[in-house]
Amino acid sequence: MLALCLVFVASLLTLPAGAAQPRPIVVIDPGHDLHANSATEPIGPGSSTRKIKDGGGTRGVVSGLTEAELNMRVALRVRKLLEAAGIRVAMTRARTSGTSMGNVARARIANRAGAALFLRIHADGSTDPRARGTHTLHPAPRPGWTDDVYASSKRAARIVQTEMVGALGFPDRGLQERADFTGFNWADVPVILAEMGFMTNPTEDRQLSTPAYQRRAAIGLCRGTLRFLGRPPARGG
Ligand SMILES: [Zn+2]
């Protein structure tokens, strides 16, 4: 499937001058950071309900890899693939070295960039080691907060979920609507949160800790993003 992304790049390069579309920008948000952040922030603009900025994410039950670092490894691959396909990319963070900035700050980066998609990359954790599979979260419609980005976010979630399941081969846990995600409620652009797999499941953790599976995840995220942006990879690659 990398071939499909690459064939598309080749087809872009052969476009006649002047035929290129304006280049959209995608903001990639590798979830979490080296340290959690227990400070609180409002779950939406003007809200008196507050949640902690970042609980810190999960960790590979076999690999010991932190979720923050797995998210980063995949995000850097997605950036490379999207840039090769002519998409501009901005990152909320480019290294795993500090205290998590929290979700309002992440959303503001995407808003200021005018992102065509705010792509949040995460992996899941559960107290049940049997829990496994890929799912994608998107905002619930909340008047004044997310009603304007609900439909586009849901469409993006559906497409990216399909491509991720195809690329990773993990069970399809479908989509989930969330009204309580700070990073969704503050977003003024289409936003999704991809949960690639479960780091608390020994099989998925072992797989996701390998470069081969990180590449698969990145290809699925890249293909889904390109399809959402109406720039599908070329056929037959
Ligand atoms: Zn996470």
Side-chain angles (χ1 to χ4, degrees):
M1 266 167 292
L2 178 63
L4 282 170
C5 270
L6 295 181
V7 166
F8 175 65
V9 174
S11 72
L12 248 191
L13 295 174
T14 57
L15 281 175
Q21 305 278 314
R23 293 167 66 211
I25 184 160
V26 169
V27 171
I28 300 177
D29 177 34
H32 314 290
D33 208 326
L34 184 60
H35 302 296
N37 189 338
S38 57
T40 65
E41 58 189 358
I43 65 156
S47 177
S48 57
T49 305
R50 303 177 71 91
K51 274 182 27 180
I52 66 162
K53 288 190 173 186
D54 191 336
T58 186
R59 177 184 287 270
V61 69
V62 177
S63 69
L65 188 65
T66 64
E67 186 200 336
E69 187 49 32
L70 172 64
N71 297 340
M72 177 57 69
R73 289 183 192 175
V74 173
L76 292 173
R77 287 174 180 270
V78 177
R79 175 170 74 175
K80 208 174 202 175
L81 291 171
L82 287 175
E83 285 179 344
I87 307 296
R88 289 181 299 151
V89 173
M91 309 267 290
T92 56
R93 66 181 180 97
R95 61 193 64 79
T96 303
S97 61
T99 298
S100 178
M101 71 186 86
N103 294 302
V104 176
R106 291 172 197 263
R108 281 190 170 140
I109 292 170
N111 294 344
R112 276 196 212 108
L117 181 64
F118 178 26
L119 177 61
R120 311 182 64 196
I121 301 177
H122 284 249
D124 222 335
S126 169
T127 53
D128 180 358
R130 292 166 304 181
R132 56 172 306 183
T134 300
H135 63 144
T136 302
L137 315 181
H138 63 86
R142 295 192 65 151
W145 286 357
T146 54
D147 45 346
D148 51 342
V149 297
Y150 171 71
S152 54
S153 300
K154 187 172 182 174
R155 190 172 71 81
R158 199 180 295 122
I159 295 170
V160 169
Q161 172 68 10
T162 301
E163 294 293 345
M164 264 204 307
V165 168
L168 281 167
F170 293 171
D172 184 353
R173 297 175 72 95
L175 306 185
Q176 198 189 357
E177 224 171 73
R178 295 295 292 255
D180 60 330
F181 272 25
T182 307
F184 287 170
N185 293 334
W186 283 84
D188 298 324
V189 293
V191 55
I192 61 172
L193 191 153
E195 296 276 15
M196 299 178 281
F198 280 76
M199 299 183 83
T200 45
N201 175 267
T203 304
E204 290 189 355
D205 172 41
R206 239 182 245 116
Q207 290 173 325
L208 284 170
S209 68
T210 64
Y213 269 81
Q214 290 161 14
R215 179 170 170 273
R216 285 189 187 207
I219 288 170
L221 291 163
C222 166
R223 288 181 53 80
T225 300
L226 291 178
R227 274 184 58 204
F228 171 68
L229 297 177
R231 298 178 165 229
R235 288 175 58 211

